[in-house]
Amino acid sequence: MDDAGYMNYKRFDNKVVVRIDKGEEIVDALKTICKKLDIKLGSIVGIGAADKVTIGLLNTKTKKYQSKEFTGDHEIAPLIGNITLMNGEVYLHLHVTICNVEHKALGGHLTSAVVSAMFEGIIDIIEGQVTREYNDEVGLNLLKL
Ligand code: FE
């Protein structure tokens, strides 16, 4: 991927202001920005609009995510998540609330979201790094602290 014309970011000390444009997938774009800026730990908050959103919910018995795709106009209100590392790679853990045409909210673990108008967010960088480790008991990649 290259960053011409589909996303932009500007860094101010430990914060990065991000814009992701129409037609782009948010999780991929955020991961690309983290890689480019070598962000290993931090948080992200963002708002915007998306028209193809895949959201997961962990089934704690099977330890598997059940996923659902939502299409049509939705507001991202908001996206929030953590940036860490796993196996040396950027690892994003994002959750999202989206609102539909009836202003009803639904949400969950964010797998992917395609921007329908725009997305804007702020990354808060923490100097340091935290990695993750799979925990068999809960079926999730837990923070290794
Ligand atoms: Fe999650």
Side-chain angles (χ1 to χ4, degrees):
M1 277 204 276
D2 82 61
D3 61 353
Y6 76 87
M7 65 179 187
N8 259 299
Y9 53 85
K10 204 166 184 180
R11 183 171 182 165
F12 301 90
D13 298 319
N14 281 337
K15 304 211 191 260
V16 185
V17 180
V18 172
R19 189 196 79 222
I20 303 172
D21 295 334
K22 183 178 167 117
E24 297 307 321
E25 201 283 298
I26 293 171
V27 181
D28 266 356
L30 290 176
K31 215 178 269 180
T32 301
I33 291 167
C34 290
K35 280 183 200 161
K36 283 187 185 225
L37 295 176
D38 200 27
I39 300 170
K40 297 183 174 83
L41 183 61
S43 59
I44 166 102
V45 175
I47 55 176
D51 58 3
K52 193 179 177 196
V53 185
T54 306
I55 291 172
L57 179 88
L58 183 74
N59 181 319
T60 53
K61 289 200 180 77
T62 63
K63 300 174 192 170
K64 292 216 163 77
Y65 276 96
Q66 50 192 78
S67 279
K68 221 172 187 179
E69 186 182 274
F70 298 92
T71 54
D73 283 335
H74 288 86
E75 295 283 335
I76 296 170
L79 173 155
I80 188 159
N82 298 324
I83 303 160
T84 54
L85 296 178
M86 185 157 173
N87 301 323
E89 296 278 315
V90 173
Y91 184 104
L92 300 180
H93 184 194
L94 307 172
H95 283 200
V96 74
T97 300
I98 55 172
C99 297
N100 65 19
V101 68
E102 291 167 334
H103 302 280
K104 289 197 170 127
L106 52 97
H109 180 98
L110 180 65
T111 306
S112 75
V114 178
V115 177
S116 57
M118 65 80 161
F119 173 85
E120 58 184 55
I122 297 178
I123 296 172
D124 204 343
I125 301 169
I126 299 170
E127 297 295 347
Q129 62 182 71
V130 168
T131 188
R132 287 180 183 268
E133 188 170 53
Y134 183 75
N135 179 294
D136 198 40
E137 201 181 320
V138 289
L140 290 174
N141 301 317
L142 301 186
L143 297 172
K144 201 176 168 188
L145 298 169

Short mmCIF file of all heavy atoms in Angstrom, two decimals, residues 65 93-95 108-110 140, ligand 1:
data_model
loop_
_atom_site.label_atom_id
_atom_site.label_comp_id
_atom_site.label_asym_id
_atom_site.label_seq_id
_atom_site.Cartn_x
_atom_site.Cartn_y
_atom_site.Cartn_z
N TYR A 65 -15.05 -16.40 17.42
CA TYR A 65 -15.81 -15.20 17.12
C TYR A 65 -16.94 -15.54 16.16
O TYR A 65 -16.74 -16.23 15.17
CB TYR A 65 -14.92 -14.13 16.47
CG TYR A 65 -14.18 -13.31 17.48
CD1 TYR A 65 -12.88 -13.63 17.83
CD2 TYR A 65 -14.78 -12.23 18.11
CE1 TYR A 65 -12.19 -12.90 18.79
CE2 TYR A 65 -14.11 -11.48 19.06
CZ TYR A 65 -12.81 -11.83 19.39
OH TYR A 65 -12.15 -11.10 20.34
N HIS A 93 -6.38 -4.04 18.54
CA HIS A 93 -7.60 -4.60 19.14
C HIS A 93 -8.61 -3.46 19.18
O HIS A 93 -8.47 -2.52 19.97
CB HIS A 93 -7.29 -5.15 20.53
CG HIS A 93 -8.48 -5.82 21.15
ND1 HIS A 93 -8.54 -6.14 22.48
CD2 HIS A 93 -9.65 -6.24 20.61
CE1 HIS A 93 -9.71 -6.74 22.73
NE2 HIS A 93 -10.40 -6.79 21.61
N LEU A 94 -9.60 -3.55 18.28
CA LEU A 94 -10.54 -2.44 18.09
C LEU A 94 -11.96 -2.88 18.37
O LEU A 94 -12.37 -3.97 17.97
CB LEU A 94 -10.45 -1.94 16.63
CG LEU A 94 -9.06 -1.59 16.11
CD1 LEU A 94 -9.13 -1.32 14.61
CD2 LEU A 94 -8.50 -0.39 16.83
N HIS A 95 -12.70 -2.01 19.03
CA HIS A 95 -14.14 -2.22 19.18
C HIS A 95 -14.84 -1.02 18.56
O HIS A 95 -14.24 0.06 18.41
CB HIS A 95 -14.53 -2.35 20.64
CG HIS A 95 -14.21 -3.71 21.22
ND1 HIS A 95 -14.79 -4.20 22.34
CD2 HIS A 95 -13.34 -4.67 20.79
CE1 HIS A 95 -14.33 -5.42 22.60
NE2 HIS A 95 -13.43 -5.73 21.68
N GLY A 108 -19.44 -4.13 18.63
CA GLY A 108 -18.68 -5.32 18.98
C GLY A 108 -17.23 -5.16 18.59
O GLY A 108 -16.72 -4.05 18.42
N HIS A 109 -16.60 -6.32 18.46
CA HIS A 109 -15.19 -6.39 18.09
C HIS A 109 -15.06 -6.10 16.59
O HIS A 109 -15.69 -6.77 15.78
CB HIS A 109 -14.71 -7.81 18.43
CG HIS A 109 -13.29 -8.07 18.13
ND1 HIS A 109 -12.29 -8.00 19.08
CD2 HIS A 109 -12.68 -8.43 16.98
CE1 HIS A 109 -11.14 -8.30 18.52
NE2 HIS A 109 -11.34 -8.56 17.25
N LEU A 110 -14.27 -5.10 16.25
CA LEU A 110 -14.21 -4.67 14.85
C LEU A 110 -13.23 -5.51 14.03
O LEU A 110 -12.04 -5.59 14.35
CB LEU A 110 -13.80 -3.20 14.77
CG LEU A 110 -13.71 -2.63 13.35
CD1 LEU A 110 -15.07 -2.62 12.66
CD2 LEU A 110 -13.11 -1.24 13.36
N LEU A 140 -8.27 -15.99 23.82
CA LEU A 140 -7.93 -14.65 23.33
C LEU A 140 -6.44 -14.38 23.47
O LEU A 140 -5.76 -15.03 24.26
CB LEU A 140 -8.68 -13.58 24.14
CG LEU A 140 -10.19 -13.47 23.94
CD1 LEU A 140 -10.77 -12.49 24.93
CD2 LEU A 140 -10.52 -13.05 22.51
FE FE B 1 -12.34 -7.57 21.20
#
